[in-house]
Structure formats: C-alpha cells, structure tokens
Amino acid sequence: LAAELAAHIVFETILNIAAFLFIVAVLKVHMTSHLGLALLTILVSTTFSITFGMFLGCIGPKSEGGKTGLMFATVMPMCFLSGLMMGNMRIVVEKHIPIINRINPAALISDSFYTLNNYNSLSRYMQDIFTLLLMAAILLVILTLATRRKTYASL
C-alpha cells in the first residue's frame, strides 16, 4: 500500500507541476511570488487527493462505475462550495457556514494559492496546509485499517 501510494503521489505531483508551469509560463498567470511554497502546496494537495481517492476506492462500491459516481458525488459539491464553479460561492459559504471552508479540501487548496499570491502573512497559508496534511493523515490511517481488514478477511 505504501509503495503504491508513493508512486501515485510522485507521478501525480510531476503532472501537477507541469500544469503549474504551463499556467505560469504559457498563460502568464503570476503565481511565483513564493515558488517553493507553491510547489509545497502542489505536493500536499496531491498527497491529499491521492489518499482521498484511495480511501473512496476502498470504502466505496465494488464496480468501477460506482466508484466513479461516488468520486463525482463527493468532489463536485466540494468544488462548487469552494467557489471553483461560481465565483462568489466561497464568500457566501464563508458568511453563512464558515466551518465548511475550513474542512473543504477544494477550498483549502484554492485558498492556499490565493493566500500565497495576495497576502504577506503566511499564517493562513500554514493553517490551510496543516489542515490538508492532517486530513490526509487521518484518511491514511483509516485506509490502512480498512485495507488490512480486507486482506485478513480474504485469507
């Protein structure tokens, strides 16, 4: 499980860095004021995403279509609430139910990049990254226990 997780994280991180470089170099979007922290954000968000995907695959339905449906049913509402589909939705959520923005991974990732490029203080950025790492660690523990139980059950 650890080797598979590490391989996925490395591969996806490389792809995400390539996408980041495309955004910065080709589309000329200014996101390089804290290049090292932007790369850290990519690594942490990729780690969470892979862990989350493996977690859903482990606890979800057996069929590929069912797993895809479960992934869309969880990821799309998170993206919507974080403002990735409608610009001011994140502000609406922050005004009425701010806890959603503190635990929504899509909101944390987008807020990390936003904070890096718009604020001088890194305290909000560090809080976002720490929350993502904590959630990834919790999912990894649950994933390990669930996978271990399935392995023993099949013996």
Side-chain angles (χ1 to χ4, degrees):
L1 181 65
E4 183 179 353
L5 182 64
H8 283 291
I9 289 171
V10 168
F11 181 71
E12 291 295 325
T13 299
I14 292 169
L15 293 177
N16 286 331
I17 289 172
F20 179 79
L21 292 175
F22 176 81
I23 291 169
V24 170
V26 176
L27 299 179
K28 305 287 187 210
V29 176
H30 178 70
M31 296 179 65
T32 57
S33 56
H34 296 282
L35 184 60
L37 293 177
L39 295 175
L40 175 66
T41 304
I42 291 170
L43 176 64
V44 170
S45 61
T46 301
T47 300
F48 174 81
S49 300
I50 297 296
T51 307
F52 184 67
M54 291 179 86
F55 170 75
L56 288 181
C58 182
I59 67 162
K62 299 292 182 200
S63 70
E64 184 178 342
K67 290 180 186 201
T68 302
L70 178 62
M71 186 63 76
F72 275 109
T74 55
V75 171
M76 296 311 270
M78 286 191 275
C79 290
F80 176 75
L81 291 174
S82 70
L84 295 175
M85 295 178 185
M86 192 169 89
N88 62 349
M89 181 51 72
R90 179 164 166 51
I91 297 166
V92 171
V93 171
E94 185 67 32
K95 183 179 178 182
H96 297 288
I97 316 168
I99 188 70
I100 298 292
N101 285 339
R102 305 298 177 275
I103 61 172
N104 180 355
L108 292 170
I109 293 166
S110 63
D111 190 56
S112 295
F113 283 111
Y114 179 79
T115 303
L116 275 180
N117 292 301
N118 293 309
Y119 295 111
N120 291 330
S121 172
L122 296 177
S123 61
R124 184 167 150 186
Y125 170 79
M126 291 300 180
Q127 181 181 359
D128 292 340
I129 293 298
F130 177 74
T131 304
L132 280 170
L133 285 172
L134 180 64
M135 291 190 313
I138 291 169
L139 287 177
L140 186 59
V141 167
I142 295 169
L143 175 65
T144 303
L145 294 174
T147 304
R148 184 174 160 213
R149 192 174 342 150
K150 286 183 180 180
T151 303
Y152 288 146
S154 66
L155 289 177

